[in-house]
Amino acid sequence: MNKYDFVGESFSINDAAAKATGAMKFASDINLYRELHLKLILSEAGHALIKNIDVSEAEKVSGYRAIFSYKDYQGKKFNSYRTFPDQPDCPEDRYIFTDKARFVGDIIAVVACETKAAAERAARLVKVEYEELPVMASPAESLRDGAAPIHEGGNLIEEFERVREGKQFATGAEEAFRVTTDIRTQKMNHVAMETHSYLADWNAQDGVTIWTPTQGIYGIRTVVADMLGLPYSKVRVVKVPMGGSFGGKQEFIYEPLVAFVAKKLERPVKLHLTRRESMIATINRTDCATKITTAFDAGGRILSCEVDNLVDSGAYCSSGLDFAHAVSGKIPRLYRCPLYRHRGRVCYSNSPIAGGMRGWGSPEIMTALELHMDDAARKLKTDPVELRLKNVVEAGDVDICNGISLGSAQIKRCLREGAEAFRWKERFAAPHGQGRFRRGVGIACGAHKNGIFSGSPDLSGMTLSINEDGTVNLRTSVHDVGCGTVRSMQIILAEVLRMDPDLIFVTEGDTKFTPYDCGTYGSRTTYVAGACAKETAEKFKELMLRTASKLLGIPASSLTLRDGRVAVTDAAAGGINYRELAARAINELSTEMILTNSYRSDSNPGSYAVNFAEAEVDTLTGLVKITDFLSVNDIGQAINRQMVFNQIGGGVQMAAGFALCEDLGINSKGFPTKDSLKKYNTLNAVDMPAVKAILVEEGGDKGPFGAKSIGEISTVPGAAAIVNAVNNALGTSIRELPLTPERIVEAFRLIKG
């Protein structure tokens, strides 16, 4: 039985009706008076100097107004990932427009016209003359001796080594064997339903206003203000409804561009990217090459783990350094390591820019790790579940990389409950088949974080007030990415204030009117912003009780909140409803009931998931069918239960695409070969089994009511579970993603001789 009235129940998300009926206005639906339409001129060369831009034919198009290129902006460089001023690991290596194309999709220029059709026509008529340079489309090419520098200083951005000792985990046993595995993961696109869209307006009095479906309004403000030489008070950023992101709208690539053009032309401008532009000219999942070597004792306990991780940042650094450093600390959040050594390298290449995507490095490194653990289980001739049970962290363990408690880490419980529910032992021991179709099972664990505490400020601010009719306003800068964050905040407040969630209005971010928040990334929204909402509501509850005490002449200690009323604790009747409370506070006490609260997170426990997959493989065609899937999640406490299950289902589907088919496919000339939905394969609903989910709700951490993140951890272990199932079915050891039919057929052919 649920111990809460609202928390843990299932609610439709707050904007479901508007989305279902088409009433929701996304960025591309917003029209500003006298707005101009922009169209990008993107590089069609993988690496080249821009010799000339001929706009003579474009200028003849009716409605043409201007074109801007590197000749028009030669100001400050920027990093599209920077969230706050002076942020480390954010080298500023790009301009709004470039005079040297570093990848297919680099921004050469932008055309501004009175209509969208005119902008598209004018852009087609712009002729760009290139001086071709050597293309280094992969890290292997960009790091070879004598490779041409993509940026000044060379193609290796950084190399580092990190060594950590978990002395408390040392067994004292001798090494019995070691295992080495090399894994390669690919560039993958977010494929959000909404392609990227931006609006900006300028006037001398107010400065620039930007409307964007972003994940970080305050980060944009720092970048745009610094680039345009404006005070922060003259840059307003408004978060608008978002049709999905998965990390693809975390970075600030085009907000600086539209702000610059609006300021130059002193007119509103709109930029709406096509699907191809969103796929090649924003950001993609980081492709990594990872080598893991682990030493075990005779009983299968880890003695040491060494990782060599090469990160391809693409044509610009973006988040590459922060990504690589984050990856270097992830494995000890899952497994106890007496000695952990991580070598990280980050490099440029002439390929689309790498950036944040659901899981922030965890899918990449955990996929490599969990394929590696299956290699170890085969060498030890032991059950993969049992090997993991011997080595996973436990509740109260300290993360050896940052010294912070992992909190109520319930990974062992997830493993045990999942193995029983999936009938793992029985299915793992079952025959795989001898004919064309083979069947196997796979298991994988995953760990992720809850915020950015440890090395970064993790702040949320909120203002809570009550209206004269008893409804409540929460002014906050949360950024709902389409999954129902606003509804979660409503539920949290409703539980504390004892009122209907639908009577609580929650804003999203607007730098002019809402308090500071770091943004929606790092699995921080529920854990940090949700904790801020709960703390703010608890402080507001005390304000309500004190105000009611003055009005009723009853001590605040004798009052409580109940069903939208301030009630007398030990009485069935009496008290005052919220409407009367708010109105009388103004009329009789001349008091507005309003409270602002800032919350700083000081913890970062682990979120954990264990995935079990069954797959059927056609050895003739190499096609894979996922026939069963179970996801077990250490979530602490569900806030909106149905939303949690929805996140798990979506996360697993994304992981399946990562495992089996999604790949941007960069060829030797730097061209993405799968730059449209016709070419880029995703798994649709019909390709997926009904994903079963188990929630482990142990609580015990500092999230609201013990809640932890689910949106990112839900996608972390799935790819490895599916790949392990395929390898189990075939007896193969495929270690390069995705598992295309060609790779599967070739691997099976090799083992059959």
Side-chain angles (χ1 to χ4, degrees):
M1 178 179 290
N2 190 17
K3 58 185 176 181
Y4 301 111
D5 289 337
F6 302 105
V7 168
E9 298 298 321
S10 293
F11 296 84
S12 63
I13 62 174
N14 57 294
D15 55 8
K19 288 177 177 174
T21 60
M24 176 71 74
K25 285 189 177 294
F26 296 94
S28 58
D29 300 316
I30 301 172
N31 296 308
L32 303 176
Y33 177 62
R34 296 182 70 240
E35 75 180 11
L36 294 170
H37 293 263
L38 306 182
K39 183 63 180 177
L40 298 170
I41 312 295
L42 300 178
S43 171
E44 291 297 331
H47 197 197
L49 296 175
I50 310 302
K51 299 296 290 181
N52 186 51
I53 302 174
D54 182 355
V55 300
S56 57
E57 293 301 312
E59 291 174 334
K60 299 175 184 178
V61 172
S62 177
Y64 171 88
R65 288 295 171 265
I67 187 169
F68 296 98
S69 69
Y70 69 92
K71 298 176 183 178
D72 304 287
Y73 179 84
Q74 298 175 356
K76 189 177 184 297
K77 290 182 179 180
F78 73 107
N79 183 299
S80 60
Y81 175 68
R82 195 187 84 179
T83 305
F84 52 89
D86 305 318
Q87 183 173 337
D89 298 331
C90 283
E92 296 175 333
D93 58 3
R94 69 183 306 185
Y95 291 105
I96 297 177
F97 310 105
T98 187
D99 62 350
K100 178 184 178 182
R102 293 176 170 87
F103 72 105
V104 174
D106 212 347
I107 306 168
I108 307 301
V110 67
V111 172
C113 294
E114 294 289 346
T115 66
K116 182 179 179 181
E120 290 173 346
R121 175 170 168 74
R124 288 194 296 270
L125 295 172
V126 174
K127 296 181 177 64
V128 181
E129 182 183 346
Y130 300 99
E131 180 183 319
E132 299 278 349
L133 298 171
V135 174
M136 293 147 290
S138 69
E141 295 169 286
S142 71
L143 294 179
R144 74 175 186 270
D145 290 342
I150 297 170
H151 291 269
E152 291 183 9
N155 297 333
L156 181 64
I157 305 172
E158 184 181 62
E159 181 174 6
F160 64 92
E161 186 172 67
R162 188 175 194 178
V163 180
R164 294 290 185 269
E165 291 186 69
K167 295 180 180 178
Q168 68 273 33
F169 304 140
T171 65
E174 293 185 357
E175 179 181 327
F177 70 97
R178 60 177 49 212
V179 179
T180 298
T181 310
D182 288 281
I183 307 98
R184 176 71 187 268
T185 59
Q186 75 278 25
K187 286 187 185 292
M188 174 181 172
N189 191 253
H190 308 81
V191 198
M193 290 181 68
E194 176 198 34
T195 58
H196 295 63
S197 189
Y198 314 85
L199 297 95
D201 195 8
W202 164 268
N203 67 68
Q205 178 177 326
D206 298 325
V208 66
T209 300
I210 304 165
W211 293 265
T212 170
T214 181
Q215 294 177 228
I217 56 170
Y218 282 96
I220 291 172
R221 188 175 70 171
T222 75
V223 171
V224 171
D226 289 355
M227 287 183 62
L228 300 184
L230 296 171
Y232 284 15
S233 58
K234 289 290 182 110
V235 177
R236 179 186 177 193
V237 185
V238 183
K239 190 272 180 186
V240 297
M242 179 184 293
S245 172
F246 313 111
K249 294 163 187 170
Q250 178 180 336
E251 297 192 22
F252 322 128
I253 301 171
Y254 293 104
E255 289 91 349
L257 184 152
V258 295
F260 168 75
V261 175
K263 184 174 183 293
K264 291 288 287 187
L265 297 179
E266 297 186 350
R267 284 184 65 177
V269 298
K270 177 189 287 186
L271 174 65
H272 185 195
L273 272 60
T274 64
R275 177 61 64 183
R276 180 176 186 267
E277 290 167 342
S278 287
M279 294 182 77
I280 70 169
T282 57
I283 56 174
N284 288 273
R285 186 181 287 287
T286 307
D287 54 323
C288 297
T290 306
K291 180 178 181 180
I292 304 178
T293 300
T294 303
F296 295 86
D297 66 19
R301 292 190 183 276
I302 293 173
L303 299 178
S304 67
C305 180
E306 297 182 16
V307 177
D308 190 319
N309 178 242
L310 175 59
V311 170
D312 179 5
S313 191
Y316 295 95
C317 183
S318 176
S319 60
L321 293 180
D322 197 27
F323 177 94
H325 293 157
V327 164
S328 74
K330 289 184 180 290
I331 288 177
R333 291 182 76 85
L334 180 59
Y335 291 114
R336 289 178 160 183
C337 295
L339 177 63
Y340 179 68
R341 186 186 304 274
H342 186 107
R343 180 193 180 209
R345 289 176 293 160
V346 187
C347 71
Y348 291 117
S349 69
N350 294 126
S351 67
I353 307 163
M357 187 170 180
R358 195 174 190 172
W360 186 237
S362 292
E364 293 87 343
I365 193 65
M366 292 292 167
T367 297
L369 175 65
E370 290 301 276
L371 301 187
H372 173 71
M373 289 298 285
D374 261 37
D375 283 350
R378 279 191 291 274
K379 187 163 186 177
L380 191 60
K381 295 182 172 58
T382 190
D383 186 310
V385 170
E386 295 302 320
L387 179 63
R388 289 166 170 86
L389 281 169
K390 290 178 181 178
N391 289 289
V392 290
V393 298
E394 297 186 7
D397 280 356
V398 171
D399 186 334
I400 64 172
C401 288
N402 60 25
I404 298 173
S405 172
L406 293 171
S408 179
Q410 297 297 312
I411 181 67
K412 279 193 172 180
R413 182 177 163 188
C414 291
L415 274 163
R416 291 183 176 121
E417 290 190 16
E420 181 178 354
F422 192 74
R423 296 183 295 110
W424 169 263
K425 287 187 177 296
E426 174 188 340
R427 295 165 84 167
F428 184 65
H432 305 304
Q434 296 297 320
R436 172 177 167 181
F437 295 94
R438 308 293 174 91
R439 187 166 291 216
V441 292
I443 185 280
C445 300
H448 198 53
K449 58 185 180 176
N450 283 271
I452 58 175
F453 175 72
S454 173
S456 297
D458 204 353
L459 308 172
S460 280
M462 296 182 180
T463 297
L464 188 58
S465 62
I466 190 166
N467 302 310
E468 298 92 321
D469 65 349
T471 58
V472 167
N473 293 338
L474 179 69
R475 290 202 290 276
T476 172
S477 291
V478 296
H479 303 67
D480 196 323
V481 295
C483 62
T485 296
V486 166
R487 177 59 95 184
S488 294
M489 299 300 133
Q490 290 174 315
I491 294 169
I492 292 166
L493 263 66
E495 191 67 46
V496 177
L497 300 180
R498 319 305 304 151
M499 64 185 295
D500 185 342
D502 286 327
L503 299 180
I504 300 169
F505 176 75
V506 178
T507 70
E508 294 189 64
D510 181 334
T511 56
K512 190 171 183 177
F513 297 110
T514 59
Y516 182 85
D517 184 86
C518 296
T520 293
Y521 56 88
S523 286
R524 65 175 300 276
T525 302
T526 295
Y527 190 77
V528 181
C532 181
K534 181 173 183 287
E535 183 180 89
T536 304
E538 288 168 343
K539 292 181 178 181
F540 195 77
K541 173 183 175 180
E542 296 304 313
L543 175 60
M544 294 173 73
L545 294 176
R546 292 195 304 271
T547 305
S549 173
K550 294 176 183 178
L551 292 170
L552 299 174
I554 299 173
S557 59
S558 299
L559 299 174
T560 189
L561 303 188
R562 184 191 306 145
D563 299 326
R565 299 179 60 83
V566 180
V568 180
T569 303
D570 297 326
I576 184 173
N577 65 39
Y578 291 173
R579 184 187 187 286
E580 294 174 291
L581 175 66
R584 289 180 61 185
I586 291 173
N587 295 333
E588 299 176 27
L589 303 177
S590 298
T591 297
E592 178 190 12
M593 297 174 62
I594 186 168
L595 182 147
T596 296
N597 181 51
S598 291
Y599 177 86
R600 179 180 69 87
S601 178
D602 62 359
S603 64
N604 195 337
S607 284
Y608 297 94
V610 179
N611 286 179
F612 297 84
E614 181 186 69
E616 182 182 81
V617 186
D618 184 337
T619 59
L620 180 64
T621 65
L623 294 174
V624 175
K625 181 179 181 180
I626 305 167
T627 52
D628 197 9
F629 202 98
L630 173 65
S631 179
V632 190
N633 301 267
D634 171 21
I635 191 173
Q637 168 65 55
I639 299 296
N640 185 348
R641 191 164 299 275
Q642 187 57 54
M643 173 181 157
V644 170
F645 288 129
N646 294 346
Q647 287 276 37
I648 292 168
V652 170
Q653 189 163 343
M654 185 169 282
F658 187 33
L660 298 177
C661 57
E662 295 192 45
D663 185 1
L664 206 56
I666 311 302
N667 68 18
S668 61
K669 294 295 185 181
F671 278 84
T673 61
K674 300 174 182 178
D675 57 359
S676 70
L677 293 184
K678 180 180 179 180
K679 304 173 185 176
Y680 185 93
N681 298 319
T682 61
L683 289 179
N684 297 321
V686 71
D687 303 312
M688 293 294 296
V691 175
K692 305 177 184 72
I694 295 173
L695 305 184
V696 174
E697 297 178 273
E698 194 74 19
D701 292 305
K702 292 185 177 182
F705 306 99
K708 296 195 285 191
S709 63
I710 187 63
E712 294 193 274
I713 183 61
S714 62
T715 203
V716 171
I722 293 165
V723 174
N724 283 337
V726 171
N727 283 323
N728 176 249
L730 301 180
T732 52
S733 296
I734 306 173
R735 292 293 176 261
E736 184 173 359
L737 270 60
L739 269 60
T740 60
E742 295 82 2
R743 283 183 180 140
I744 289 173
V745 169
E746 177 63 14
F748 188 67
R749 184 188 67 78
L750 288 174
I751 67 165
K752 297 297 287 184

